[in-house]
PDB file of all heavy atoms in Angstrom:
ATOM      1  N   ASN G  12      66.850 179.433 -93.632  1.00 91.00           N
ATOM      2  CA  ASN G  12      66.033 179.305 -92.374  1.00 91.00           C
ATOM      3  C   ASN G  12      64.926 180.308 -92.452  1.00 91.00           C
ATOM      4  O   ASN G  12      64.982 181.394 -91.873  1.00 91.00           O
ATOM      5  CB  ASN G  12      66.970 179.611 -91.172  1.00 91.00           C
ATOM      6  CG  ASN G  12      66.201 179.470 -89.850  1.00 91.00           C
ATOM      7  OD1 ASN G  12      65.279 178.712 -89.751  1.00 91.00           O
ATOM      8  ND2 ASN G  12      66.748 180.082 -88.814  1.00 91.00           N
ATOM      9  N   GLY G  13      63.916 179.952 -93.211  1.00 87.00           N
ATOM     10  CA  GLY G  13      62.759 180.758 -93.367  1.00 87.00           C
ATOM     11  C   GLY G  13      63.038 182.156 -93.982  1.00 87.00           C
ATOM     12  O   GLY G  13      63.675 182.246 -94.975  1.00 87.00           O
ATOM     13  N   GLU G  32      61.370 189.447-100.513  1.00 88.00           N
ATOM     14  CA  GLU G  32      60.067 189.438 -99.982  1.00 88.00           C
ATOM     15  C   GLU G  32      59.031 189.486-101.170  1.00 88.00           C
ATOM     16  O   GLU G  32      59.228 190.410-101.988  1.00 88.00           O
ATOM     17  CB  GLU G  32      59.780 190.524 -98.993  1.00 88.00           C
ATOM     18  CG  GLU G  32      60.654 190.347 -97.739  1.00 88.00           C
ATOM     19  CD  GLU G  32      60.256 189.225 -96.893  1.00 88.00           C
ATOM     20  OE1 GLU G  32      59.141 188.748 -96.913  1.00 88.00           O
ATOM     21  OE2 GLU G  32      61.153 188.644 -96.160  1.00 88.00           O
ATOM     22  N   ILE G  37      51.527 184.348 -99.492  1.00 93.00           N
ATOM     23  CA  ILE G  37      50.341 183.395 -99.229  1.00 93.00           C
ATOM     24  C   ILE G  37      50.784 182.095 -98.586  1.00 93.00           C
ATOM     25  O   ILE G  37      50.162 181.694 -97.699  1.00 93.00           O
ATOM     26  CB  ILE G  37      49.552 183.199-100.554  1.00 93.00           C
ATOM     27  CG1 ILE G  37      48.919 184.483-100.976  1.00 93.00           C
ATOM     28  CG2 ILE G  37      48.526 182.127-100.345  1.00 93.00           C
ATOM     29  CD1 ILE G  37      48.224 184.431-102.300  1.00 93.00           C
ATOM     30  N   ALA G  48      65.990 175.358-107.315  1.00 94.00           N
ATOM     31  CA  ALA G  48      65.806 175.160-108.684  1.00 94.00           C
ATOM     32  C   ALA G  48      66.287 176.420-109.435  1.00 94.00           C
ATOM     33  O   ALA G  48      67.052 176.325-110.454  1.00 94.00           O
ATOM     34  CB  ALA G  48      64.302 174.930-109.013  1.00 94.00           C
ATOM     35  N   GLY G  49      65.978 177.588-108.932  1.00 95.00           N
ATOM     36  CA  GLY G  49      66.455 178.864-109.653  1.00 95.00           C
ATOM     37  C   GLY G  49      67.906 179.039-109.542  1.00 95.00           C
ATOM     38  O   GLY G  49      68.503 179.464-110.497  1.00 95.00           O
ATOM     39  N   ILE G  51      70.182 176.574-109.266  1.00 95.00           N
ATOM     40  CA  ILE G  51      70.765 175.606-110.183  1.00 95.00           C
ATOM     41  C   ILE G  51      70.613 176.029-111.632  1.00 95.00           C
ATOM     42  O   ILE G  51      71.583 175.930-112.446  1.00 95.00           O
ATOM     43  CB  ILE G  51      70.147 174.141-109.901  1.00 95.00           C
ATOM     44  CG1 ILE G  51      70.600 173.713-108.563  1.00 95.00           C
ATOM     45  CG2 ILE G  51      70.543 173.245-111.079  1.00 95.00           C
ATOM     46  CD1 ILE G  51      69.828 172.420-108.123  1.00 95.00           C
ATOM     47  N   MET G  60      77.807 182.301-108.285  1.00 95.00           N
ATOM     48  CA  MET G  60      76.914 181.914-107.173  1.00 95.00           C
ATOM     49  C   MET G  60      76.072 183.017-106.666  1.00 95.00           C
ATOM     50  O   MET G  60      74.971 182.871-106.416  1.00 95.00           O
ATOM     51  CB  MET G  60      77.725 181.254-106.080  1.00 95.00           C
ATOM     52  CG  MET G  60      76.885 180.868-104.857  1.00 95.00           C
ATOM     53  SD  MET G  60      75.546 179.653-105.308  1.00 95.00           S
ATOM     54  CE  MET G  60      76.375 178.164-104.991  1.00 95.00           C
ATOM     55  N   THR G  74      56.923 181.977-105.856  1.00 94.00           N
ATOM     56  CA  THR G  74      56.254 180.862-105.310  1.00 94.00           C
ATOM     57  C   THR G  74      55.439 181.140-104.023  1.00 94.00           C
ATOM     58  O   THR G  74      54.354 180.604-103.837  1.00 94.00           O
ATOM     59  CB  THR G  74      57.213 179.668-105.035  1.00 94.00           C
ATOM     60  OG1 THR G  74      57.869 179.359-106.308  1.00 94.00           O
ATOM     61  CG2 THR G  74      56.484 178.369-104.565  1.00 94.00           C
ATOM     62  N   HIS G  92      63.774 188.561-114.205  1.00 76.00           N
ATOM     63  CA  HIS G  92      63.188 189.903-114.086  1.00 76.00           C
ATOM     64  C   HIS G  92      63.953 190.764-113.110  1.00 76.00           C
ATOM     65  O   HIS G  92      64.184 190.256-112.000  1.00 76.00           O
ATOM     66  CB  HIS G  92      61.711 189.823-113.733  1.00 76.00           C
ATOM     67  CG  HIS G  92      61.009 191.163-113.711  1.00 76.00           C
ATOM     68  ND1 HIS G  92      60.854 191.983-114.824  1.00 76.00           N
ATOM     69  CD2 HIS G  92      60.492 191.819-112.658  1.00 76.00           C
ATOM     70  CE1 HIS G  92      60.235 193.065-114.443  1.00 76.00           C
ATOM     71  NE2 HIS G  92      60.022 192.999-113.196  1.00 76.00           N
ATOM     72  N   ASP G  93      64.372 191.921-113.480  1.00 68.00           N
ATOM     73  CA  ASP G  93      65.043 192.921-112.653  1.00 68.00           C
ATOM     74  C   ASP G  93      66.344 192.488-112.164  1.00 68.00           C
ATOM     75  O   ASP G  93      66.841 193.025-111.162  1.00 68.00           O
ATOM     76  CB  ASP G  93      64.146 193.306-111.468  1.00 68.00           C
ATOM     77  CG  ASP G  93      62.887 194.027-111.846  1.00 68.00           C
ATOM     78  OD1 ASP G  93      62.869 194.658-112.885  1.00 68.00           O
ATOM     79  OD2 ASP G  93      61.891 193.950-111.135  1.00 68.00           O
TER      80      ASP G  93
END
Side-chain angles (χ1 to χ4, degrees):
N12 186 22
E32 295 292 331
I37 294 178
I51 291 167
M60 180 55 94
T74 301
H92 182 65
D93 294 333

